[in-house]
Amino acid sequence: MKKRVFAVAVSLMAAVSSASGLLEGVSSIDVGGGALPGGYILIGTNSFALAKCRISEGVYACAAAGANYGEGRAVYLSHPSFLDVRNHRDDTSRFLRNAVNWTAKGKTDAVIGVLRSKRTADGIRSLGFADVRELSAASELKGCDILLANDARSDEVAPILAFVREGGGYICGALGWGFLYYRPQAVFAEEFAPNRIAAEMGVLMNSRSVSRINGTFPAVKDGKIAGANAEEAVDSLLRGEAASKEEIVRAGAVALVLVDALPSRAAAGLHEKLDRLCNLPSAKKTPSPASAVRSEDAAARVAIVKRKLDWLKNPENPVAADESAAVYPGAVRKGTPKISKTVAVDMSVPRWHSTGVFAVAGEPLTVTLPDEALKLALKVRIGSTADDLTPLGEWRRSPMVTCEVPLSKKSTTVFNPFGGLVYIVVPDNAGFSGTVEVGISGGVMAPWFRKGFGGKAQFAAECRDTGAPYGEIQGKGFVVIAEVESLKKVDDPEWIADYWDKVLEASADLARWEKRRYPERICSDVQLVAGFMHSGYPLMTHVNSERLDWAVDKERLEKGESWGCYHEIGHNHQNRDWTPDGTGEVTVNLFTLYVIESVAGADVREERFYTGTGRSAGRVKNWVAKGKRFEDWKRDPFLALEMYLRIKEAYGWEVYKKTFARYRERGFARPRNDHERWQIFAREMSKTANENLAAVMAAWSLPISESTLKECSKYKTAASALFP
């Protein structure tokens, strides 16, 4: 063992010494523009850390890493902006110049190839490098000494590896989480080509964003970050050497990145160690609300995620039902008959199409397509939650329970170890506007109310007779996905469907949306990745203790008492251009208030709402007494909302509708930063109201410039009631 450790140390020292000059004149690196880098962990002995980031509290990784590979060298940067000189902060430009020189091995006339990025090419030229060539494919590398790339295709993995192995330089700025943003169901380790390249060089990409350390990414002069080497982390867990909870958590977090990012064809020894870790007695734990799997349960977390990824690599292979399926989405009642049905899918509507079928955990579900639909890029989805809980420190259900499988064959059979509602997914711009008849067999009937299809009595019978744990109420533009136990309490599903359609229409009306391309959805879940509810597709809400879904409680809805649901729908309608930093949880509630007034017909100044007269007056009074600080204004969303509400009370909702319409019409240049956002908003609102609202906003301590105040002084003075 001592010999092995000594060998690793010698190898690392050699790697770091060969990297001399990389960090010369560099104390930290960073990029602006709101960039969220992804980070790296290390495997093997030929890679080393160059800059430090934080994965989670007490867990650190590399914001930049270097590697020696064959005769060549590589530098890995954790965001494309690191290759865009315009976004550089701290010592990043110096670092990038050093990286080019190091990967070129000091060659002063190095030929630099830039893959599919004119912006990167122009930036490298601005650093003083003369021979920069813009490449459309890795096949054009002949004659280049260095390759700079923010991406790579699968067919470019082998050529890039060969290029570096034979002595070339490689600087990569690929972003793992950016890839998954557009392909959330992809198997990251196998499908993200830049990570497959990196893995061969001893570097693995983190598929999630990382945090800065004291606002930056500090340089690592000795090439080492405690805990950032994945093999060392797994070894410590296998040997039981992690003496403290903190050490176990740290090793477990790095091991999770390893499981997520390690390609199946890379580092066979590490795969064997992961298998051993997953077979430890401590790995045999099933997450549930009563027995959560926590960050210190490192082996169990690795085992759970590894099972998930092994399944997702090929969901057409048979797989057993997972024990946690009973927790979420819930078990199908034994003896429930299987069904076969045909569903008409409107190809003009993208995203999910409900089917009224629930797939049974671990049992086959078969989807058949007509010949004319085989090239339409349809998918089958099993599972309705959007939330992957992997980053959380506590799992009360399995962290990932859904899958999407392409439908490119006449018949496709899919297995999901958790089960779930079944959807047919239509791609954006499918290029076909007709209807496709899709056959589905092997699942069980799930309650599915649609206006004009079956009616109240049939829905009640479906809720009574189904063995499925979840069902849906679907309106024209909104779909409620809820537990059957909640749906059984719904006397009038048509009223629920109509209500949420009205809420959606009201939100679009305020935002000045003219057309909605697909229905919105809201889904209940036993655990969310963030908050009690959150926006997105679908909107997510927590199953409450009474097992009565917030979205189907008619008594509450009639009174306008579903603030959280209205709020999250509002997030889906917000416009960044009129939402400066610190107001994301403020302007969203304009939609909440509009729905309460226009749909529920309630008075938002009632004390049961956050905007009750007494509540609001107290907030404003306290804020004024403390000095009217802008930072305090931003920290209290309901204090900040008071200004917006007073403007509405003075001028009506039309002042917002007309202003938001001009934003959508792009009648002026889009704001580039928060300063411009505030100035444009003040000017446009003043223009709409024909009164000086810029002065009102300044009185609320908002950062309205002197030039904006001067410009808006041409309008008459606003009423005193608008001022704090």
Side-chain angles (χ1 to χ4, degrees):
M1 182 59 70
K2 289 182 179 179
K3 289 183 178 179
R4 177 186 172 276
V5 173
F6 179 72
V8 171
V10 170
S11 180
L12 182 58
M13 287 173 61
V16 175
S17 65
S18 70
S20 61
L22 258 175
L23 295 176
E24 184 179 346
V26 178
S27 60
S28 65
I29 61 173
D30 199 6
V31 287
L36 294 172
Y40 304 97
I41 61 171
L42 307 177
I43 58 175
T45 59
N46 291 323
S47 56
F48 48 93
L50 290 169
K52 191 175 182 179
C53 63
R54 182 185 292 109
I55 292 179
S56 58
E57 189 62 36
V59 182
Y60 299 95
C62 309
N68 295 283
Y69 181 66
E71 298 298 318
R73 298 171 173 179
V75 171
Y76 286 90
L77 294 157
S78 51
H79 196 281
S81 287
F82 280 110
L83 300 185
D84 184 357
V85 174
R86 299 176 306 170
N87 284 319
H88 284 181
R89 291 182 177 174
D90 300 355
D91 306 318
T92 306
S93 291
R94 176 67 178 267
F95 176 74
L96 184 56
R97 190 181 289 108
N98 291 348
V100 172
N101 290 330
W102 181 74
T103 54
K105 302 176 184 176
K107 188 176 180 180
T108 56
D109 58 348
V111 179
I112 302 170
V114 177
L115 190 60
R116 296 186 288 272
S117 177
K118 184 178 184 324
R119 182 178 295 178
T120 296
D122 289 342
I124 292 298
R125 293 185 184 105
S126 74
L127 293 179
F129 297 100
D131 201 343
V132 180
R133 303 177 184 180
E134 297 175 35
L135 313 178
S136 59
S139 58
E140 301 169 5
L141 272 169
K142 186 177 180 180
C144 294
D145 298 294
I146 304 170
L147 172 65
L148 272 69
N150 289 326
D151 71 338
R153 299 189 297 254
S154 292
D155 62 351
E156 294 174 321
V157 172
I160 292 174
L161 285 171
F163 171 75
V164 182
R165 191 166 51 244
E166 294 164 10
Y170 178 48
I171 302 176
C172 175
L175 183 63
W177 71 257
F179 167 76
L180 289 177
Y181 180 84
Y182 294 101
R183 295 186 60 193
Q185 291 286 323
V187 180
F188 178 76
E190 311 297 337
E191 298 182 54
F192 189 40
N195 179 66
R196 288 166 55 197
I197 297 169
E200 293 294 326
M201 301 184 188
V203 178
L204 290 177
M205 296 182 173
N206 184 24
S207 65
R208 307 180 189 279
S209 63
V210 296
S211 303
R212 292 164 172 80
I213 299 170
N214 297 322
T216 190
F217 301 108
V220 179
K221 300 291 185 178
D222 64 358
K224 296 183 288 186
I225 297 173
N229 186 287
E231 188 161 12
E232 292 175 4
V234 174
D235 283 345
S236 73
L237 293 171
L238 284 172
R239 295 193 298 261
E241 292 181 349
S244 67
K245 176 183 173 181
E246 290 74 19
E247 290 173 325
I248 295 171
V249 169
R250 187 183 305 122
V254 172
L256 279 183
V257 177
L258 174 66
V259 171
D260 185 48
L262 185 64
S264 56
R265 296 183 180 180
L270 270 175
H271 284 288
E272 187 270 334
K273 288 181 179 181
L274 285 171
D275 287 338
R276 285 166 52 200
L277 186 63
C278 294
N279 286 320
L280 292 176
S282 58
K284 314 303 180 184
K285 190 172 183 179
T286 300
S288 71
S291 182
V293 173
R294 297 181 171 85
S295 54
E296 60 266 30
D297 300 313
R301 288 167 72 88
V302 169
I304 290 167
V305 171
K306 191 173 186 304
R307 285 199 303 270
K308 174 197 78 173
L309 293 173
D310 288 345
W311 155 57
L312 288 176
K313 286 174 184 176
N314 194 350
E316 294 183 55
N317 284 343
V319 64
D322 194 284
E323 290 183 9
S324 70
V327 175
Y328 185 84
V332 172
R333 188 178 64 234
K334 290 183 179 181
T336 303
K338 303 291 176 54
I339 64 169
S340 295
K341 68 185 299 186
T342 299
V343 179
V345 177
D346 183 354
M347 294 295 296
S348 67
V349 180
R351 298 200 175 186
W352 305 1
H353 288 250
S354 302
T355 65
V357 178
F358 192 96
V360 183
E363 297 190 17
L365 181 97
T366 300
V367 182
T368 57
L369 297 182
D371 292 338
E372 62 269 21
L374 296 180
K375 296 183 179 179
L376 296 179
L378 294 173
K379 296 179 181 179
V380 59
R381 178 185 178 92
I382 300 177
S384 49
T385 183
D387 284 7
D388 180 355
L389 309 181
T390 307
L392 301 186
E394 179 180 286
W395 300 340
R396 298 191 296 277
R397 66 158 170 84
S398 189
M400 184 68 175
V401 299
T402 64
C403 66
E404 286 186 6
V405 179
L407 298 173
S408 57
K409 300 177 291 188
K410 184 78 174 177
S411 178
T412 303
T413 298
V414 182
F415 296 81
N416 184 313
F418 305 96
L421 286 170
V422 178
Y423 302 92
I424 302 301
V425 184
V426 174
D428 285 336
N429 306 312
F432 180 71
S433 59
T435 299
V436 172
E437 300 289 324
V438 179
I440 303 173
S441 61
V444 303
M445 180 273 295
W448 181 23
F449 175 83
R450 293 171 293 162
K451 199 171 178 178
F453 295 86
K456 303 176 186 178
Q458 180 175 319
F459 183 68
E462 289 178 355
C463 290
R464 182 188 66 241
D465 298 337
T466 187
Y470 267 79
E472 296 182 310
I473 296 175
Q474 180 172 336
K476 182 176 66 175
F478 199 84
V479 183
V480 176
I481 307 164
E483 290 186 303
V484 169
E485 293 304 309
S486 296
L487 297 177
K488 286 179 179 179
K489 301 173 185 178
V490 176
D491 296 323
D492 191 348
E494 185 171 327
W495 187 94
I496 298 295
D498 286 345
Y499 183 91
W500 286 110
D501 279 346
K502 292 174 184 176
V503 170
L504 209 61
E505 289 164 3
S507 300
D509 179 40
L510 182 60
R512 302 281 87 183
W513 283 18
E514 295 181 358
K515 187 178 180 181
R516 192 177 301 278
R517 298 181 64 227
Y518 49 81
E520 295 283 356
R521 298 172 183 269
I522 188 167
C523 175
S524 62
D525 194 342
V526 298
Q527 185 181 6
L528 307 187
V529 73
F532 191 80
M533 299 180 183
H534 67 74
S535 59
Y537 186 88
L539 301 128
M540 296 298 302
T541 178
H542 203 285
V543 176
N544 71 17
S545 59
E546 292 82 26
R547 303 184 74 81
L548 181 61
D549 195 291
W550 298 99
V552 295
D553 188 341
K554 183 179 178 182
E555 184 178 348
R556 286 178 177 270
L557 296 177
E558 286 178 320
K559 299 176 182 177
E561 293 180 349
S562 194
W563 184 289
C565 293
Y566 312 145
H567 174 102
E568 302 305 341
I569 290 171
H571 275 308
N572 282 9
H573 292 79
Q574 272 178 303
N575 187 324
R576 172 67 169 137
D577 289 350
W578 43 258
T579 305
D581 287 344
T583 66
E585 297 300 319
V586 182
T587 64
V588 63
N589 281 324
L590 290 172
F591 296 94
T592 310
L593 299 179
Y594 187 61
V595 166
I596 290 172
E597 288 194 353
S598 64
V599 179
D603 182 359
V604 299
R605 288 301 196 184
E606 292 181 38
E607 294 304 316
R608 60 194 174 101
F609 298 118
Y610 298 108
T611 47
T613 302
R615 292 192 185 193
S616 296
R619 282 194 184 91
V620 175
K621 184 179 180 181
N622 291 335
W623 175 66
V624 171
K626 292 179 181 179
K628 293 175 55 180
R629 294 175 67 249
F630 178 55
E631 292 302 316
D632 293 338
W633 183 91
K634 287 198 298 183
R635 276 195 289 267
D636 185 344
F638 294 105
L639 166 68
L641 183 61
E642 179 65 13
M643 183 197 76
Y644 291 87
L645 181 53
R646 290 188 188 188
I647 291 173
K648 173 264 165 185
E649 290 172 337
Y651 307 102
W653 286 112
E654 287 301 310
V655 71
Y656 289 113
K657 292 180 183 181
K658 290 178 179 179
T659 301
F660 294 166
R662 285 204 296 279
Y663 276 89
R664 294 194 64 81
E665 293 161 1
R666 301 283 176 85
F668 43 81
R670 292 191 64 185
R672 296 169 295 181
N673 50 50
D674 262 2
H675 174 77
E676 291 186 3
R677 287 186 188 96
W678 281 121
Q679 311 320 310
I680 292 172
F681 186 66
R683 290 197 302 267
E684 293 301 315
M685 288 287 289
S686 297
K687 180 179 179 180
T688 304
N690 199 31
E691 292 188 7
N692 187 357
L693 294 184
V696 172
M697 296 177 192
W700 284 89
S701 300
L702 307 189
I704 308 301
S705 69
E706 289 298 325
S707 60
T708 299
L709 288 169
K710 184 176 179 181
E711 182 179 343
C712 294
S713 64
K714 62 186 178 184
Y715 302 109
K716 67 180 180 180
T717 303
S720 60
L722 275 67
F723 293 79

